[in-house]
């Protein structure tokens, strides 16, 4: 990473942060120490730096298995009134998706697709719907190094998106607060999306040197046209709930005060409709795009794995943590 | 039908309707008598029940061939100022589409495609644009039984939608009032759709245990995004004219008071434009999707035929007539 | 051309324009003299007429190579702050695109795609963004006659649109005023489109007996649905900037007073984002449609070449100049 930085920008010369903040100072010193090293060394230091930064910023919190009916660690899953609800349950981490959570979501969706519920709902615990990929995911380096990490992360993402593409019954998003990254891009694969007025929709991929996933590179232009999709997917435009509704990413927006009651009243009514008619109609809508969606998913993941291993992405993520640590 | 009902809900235990209404009572008794029978018997009883219900509710009215220039029984068709207008003409039945009307529409569109008019317009007589499929269509059981009825109805629908896909010149909908079912789903195949403010757009497929047709399973998500399309196609959301315009199903909405004059002024101007330029431009827009649209039409019809023969659909239609008879 | 006119409308019987206008009178006499001739003769006279009309209406003005950094005659091209800006620079002709300008745009875009800028911007000098195809292009008849002219024009257009389809980095339109014809249809191939409130969007193809290009026959229905796309592409509906934004053709509209400052502030921020991330993300969005877009471009050009050689188109263009000369 630093090789590129050195070549293009010269050694680190960011102005030193306030000395009052010892934590920040430590990080700044770590960053500064990356002055001039080989690419391999830089990559390792990058990993170490990220680990130390996120270690400080984001301590792993033991998930509370409260109320979970299926024994998940990061989710609350329950079935009632013909509705299976999957609730992202790491509110203290804004429901950021860890590797464990990706795996649990895949399992929970797989079960929900097969159970006898009529519709499936995904929502979040706490103030956030989901803050996207937990960047801690990039810091637990396996034996095979970052290449292996990137490849495994890519395969996990591919499987995760695949479950949404193949989901066999109506899938409804109840967006209870801000949504970021992959939790936004996947909305194109939901059948209905209801949002509180305080939800926002943000996909800051390029800011982190990355590229869009969740089939958004195909579905967002289809939903809202390229002119609006690219502003989100390339230029990090954050949408309000009202804006997301205008462009068609969100079905309807509700006042925060009545959000839960209005939405769940509707969902209970939906869940009384003929089960097979709903499932078969949803599949009818999906089948015409399914092959293309799988191809898009594969292409997006391939590109993203390349991105994760690029100097540009590493630098962008470091800058992100730098900025965060300076706040 | 009852086998499933019996198995899952037990024998009929709906609360008895008001005794004041003798007609309703008769229907309730008929329904109640379906207590516990074999599947074959239930299917026959279902057909008989439907026949009796719709027979009471919806007596066949002789179509008035007033003003028809082509001798159609259910349509008024005329050509003037380079515009061929096809007017659904069963106002007393809210322009519900009978088998005869499907056949006449296919013929009228075929003729309009070949005549020397520049544009073709479809509109309705009376207060409704069209209330969709006439459920009476399901009650005239041929020799081969319901399977044959379903297959024939499917083939008729397939041919009907096909005419819209292949229509060779601009096709404009003048939506003079509420539109239901297939008259809504087909709007995705029109080139321009003008609506009065009092029009509504409703596709209650799942409520009737059915599934979407008219290429809407492909075109509605394309037009308005899946999040809005699924609320209509899966969850029976009824759109106002303004909402239908916002999502792109309708081109423009006009005040009822000036609807006819404003729209026809425009149409007359359109009909003066170069004929071939219009036809060839419309075909250019259509050709890129044509193969896919035919495949979608086939898939939708296949699914719908399965649906018509399902217990779920039979039950839903019975419930519909029940509810209607209780009003 | 006249053969058809004669056959269908009889000899010229337009009412004579005001005698006060000698230029108009001359044109009217030329038109009137086309009374009854063979098809070949009519075609030649048509070409001569057009030449004389546009010769009078639209004298070729020497392009001002002011400030151009790359020596273009019809464009101003510069690179600053990681942004390559291509400015259409025939303000006195409302930035109508001549054959020379088509060729220079192809070259400028080719260079911009390869240079080290992060984003590329297209905008216009003066009050107009672009008034579309310069109709003078149809009047410089080569040795091979109109057939050859049409074929060459088609090939030029095909190559021009191709550059947009294949453009490898974010392409942003800064629409500083009215846009007409091909400058509108191409917007579907831009990644982001910012417009001043005084911009308008007009594609009067059928009025000129022509057909849509720039992949609009595929992309406009995809962006805004067929019902709104056809009103533009078939029936010459002119959109305000706000309307174009509502249907998704434009990303955002700005007040004229702050348009340039607001837009360029954003663009400069965009140009600081990771270069490869942006380029690869844009390519990811484009790749899924690229093959189809090339096929659509080919089909549109083929149809347009046929149109250019049709009597209908010739008559429509003559009518256009007639109308213009009467103003």
């Amino acid at each position: 990473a630093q090789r590129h930085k050195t070549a293009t920008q010269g050694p680190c010369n960011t102005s030193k942060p306030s000395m009052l903040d010892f934590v920040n100072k430590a990080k700044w010193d770590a960053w500064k120490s990356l002055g001039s090293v080989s690419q391999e060394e830089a990559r390792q230091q990058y990993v170490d730096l990220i680990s130390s930064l996120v270690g400080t910023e984001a301590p792993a919190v033991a998930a509370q298995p409260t109320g979970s009916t299926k024994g998940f660690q990061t989710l609350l899953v329950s079935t009632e009134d013909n509705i299976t609800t999957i609730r992202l349950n790491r509110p203290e981490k804004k429901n950021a998706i860890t590797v464990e959570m990706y795996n649990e979501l895949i399992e929970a969706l797989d079960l929900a697709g097969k159970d006898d519920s009529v519709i499936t709902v995904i929502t979040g615990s706490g103030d956030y719907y989901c803050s996207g990929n937990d960047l801690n995911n990039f810091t637990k380096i396996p034996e095979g190094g970052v290449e292996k990490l990137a490849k495994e992360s890519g395969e996990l993402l591919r499987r995760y998106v695949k479950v949404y593409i193949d989901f066999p019954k109506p899938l409804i998003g109840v967006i209870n607060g801000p949504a970021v990254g992959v939790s936004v891009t996947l909305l194109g694969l939901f059948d209905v999306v209801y949002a509180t007025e305080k939800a926002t929709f943000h996909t800051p991929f390029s800011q982190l040197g990355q590229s869009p996933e969740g089939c958004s590179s195909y579905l967002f232009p289809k939903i809202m046209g390229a002119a609006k999709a690219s502003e989100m997917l390339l230029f990090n435009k954050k949408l309000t709930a009202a804006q997301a509704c205008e462009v068609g990413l969100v079905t309807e927006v509700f006042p925060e005060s009545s959000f839960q009651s209005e939405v769940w009243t509707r969902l209970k009514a939906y869940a009384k409709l003929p089960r097979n008619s709903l499932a078969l109609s949803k599949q009818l809508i999906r089948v015409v795009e399914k092959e293309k969606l799988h191809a898009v998913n594969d292409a997006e993941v391939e590109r993203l794995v390349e991105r994760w291993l690029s100097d540009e992405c590493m630098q962008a993520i470091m800058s992100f943590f730098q900025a965060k640590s300076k706040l």
Side-chain angles (χ1 to χ4, degrees), chain A residues 136-191:
Chain A
N136 278 291
N137 296 342
F138 290 115
T139 63
K140 289 155 196 159
I141 314 294
E143 286 282 318
V146 283
E147 281 78 9
K148 194 167 179 226
L149 174 63
K151 208 174 159 186
E152 286 178 357
S153 301
E155 179 53 24
L156 181 61
L157 176 63
R158 205 185 64 78
R159 285 201 301 129
Y160 180 58
V161 175
K162 191 175 179 302
V163 178
Y164 287 83
I165 298 173
D166 291 333
F167 199 70
K169 60 179 72 169
L171 181 64
I172 296 177
V174 174
I175 314 304
N176 57 298
V180 180
V182 70
S183 76
V184 176
T185 54
L186 275 171
L187 293 179
L189 289 166
F190 282 63
D191 298 294

Side-chain angles (χ1 to χ4, degrees), chain A residues 88-300:
Chain A
L88 311 182
N89 195 35
R90 298 179 72 222
E92 75 288 355
K93 303 299 298 176
K94 298 176 178 169
N95 298 319
I97 314 177
T98 59
V99 171
E100 182 184 23
M101 198 170 181
Y102 275 116
N103 280 309
E104 291 197 346
L105 277 164
I106 291 170
E107 192 190 341
L109 282 164
D110 194 50
L111 291 169
K114 289 171 185 158
D115 71 19
D116 64 355
S117 66
V118 174
I119 60 174
T120 298
V121 171
I122 300 185
T123 189
S125 290
D127 291 335
Y128 261 66
Y129 170 64
C130 175
S131 57
N133 199 26
D134 191 321
L135 287 174
N136 278 291
N137 296 342
F138 290 115
T139 63
K140 289 155 196 159
I141 314 294
E143 286 282 318
V146 283
E147 281 78 9
K148 194 167 179 226
L149 174 63
K151 208 174 159 186
E152 286 178 357
S153 301
E155 179 53 24
L156 181 61
L157 176 63
R158 205 185 64 78
R159 285 201 301 129
Y160 180 58
V161 175
K162 191 175 179 302
V163 178
Y164 287 83
I165 298 173
D166 291 333
F167 199 70
K169 60 179 72 169
L171 181 64
I172 296 177
V174 174
I175 314 304
N176 57 298
V180 180
V182 70
S183 76
V184 176
T185 54
L186 275 171
L187 293 179
L189 289 166
F190 282 63
D191 298 294
V192 168
V193 178
Y194 292 134
T196 169
E197 61 191 347
K198 76 184 182 66
T200 54
F201 301 86
H202 195 200
T203 52
F205 296 118
S206 68
Q207 216 169 320
L208 295 172
Q210 305 195 19
S211 55
E213 17 66 338
C215 294
S216 62
S217 69
Y218 173 65
L219 287 176
F220 276 31
K222 195 183 162 195
I223 294 169
M224 61 187 84
K228 310 235 177 191
S230 299
E231 209 185 23
M232 284 190 79
L233 298 178
L234 301 183
F235 298 121
N236 311 306
K237 163 101 170 182
K238 188 196 284 188
L239 263 54
T240 64
Q243 289 171 327
C245 187
E246 265 168 48
V247 298
L249 192 60
V250 162
T251 311
E252 191 171 338
V253 178
F254 299 82
E256 170 66 8
S257 58
S258 60
F259 176 57
Q260 296 292 343
S261 68
E262 285 197 61
V263 164
W264 287 97
T265 301
R266 285 205 203 179
L267 297 181
K268 281 171 192 170
Y270 294 170
K272 286 177 186 155
L273 290 167
R275 180 194 321 268
N276 296 334
S277 175
L278 285 183
L280 293 170
S281 295
K282 183 244 164 88
Q283 289 166 31
L284 189 63
I285 293 172
R286 176 59 46 87
V287 71
V288 66
E289 295 281 37
K290 197 175 253 188
E291 200 182 341
K292 178 168 272 181
L293 291 171
H294 283 305
V296 167
N297 183 26
D298 292 349
E300 286 176 343

Side-chain angles (χ1 to χ4, degrees), chain A residues 48-69:
Chain A
D48 294 346
L49 175 64
I50 296 289
S51 301
S52 73
L53 288 171
V54 296
T56 312
E57 297 283 321
V61 171
Q64 303 157 310
T66 337
S68 169
T69 61

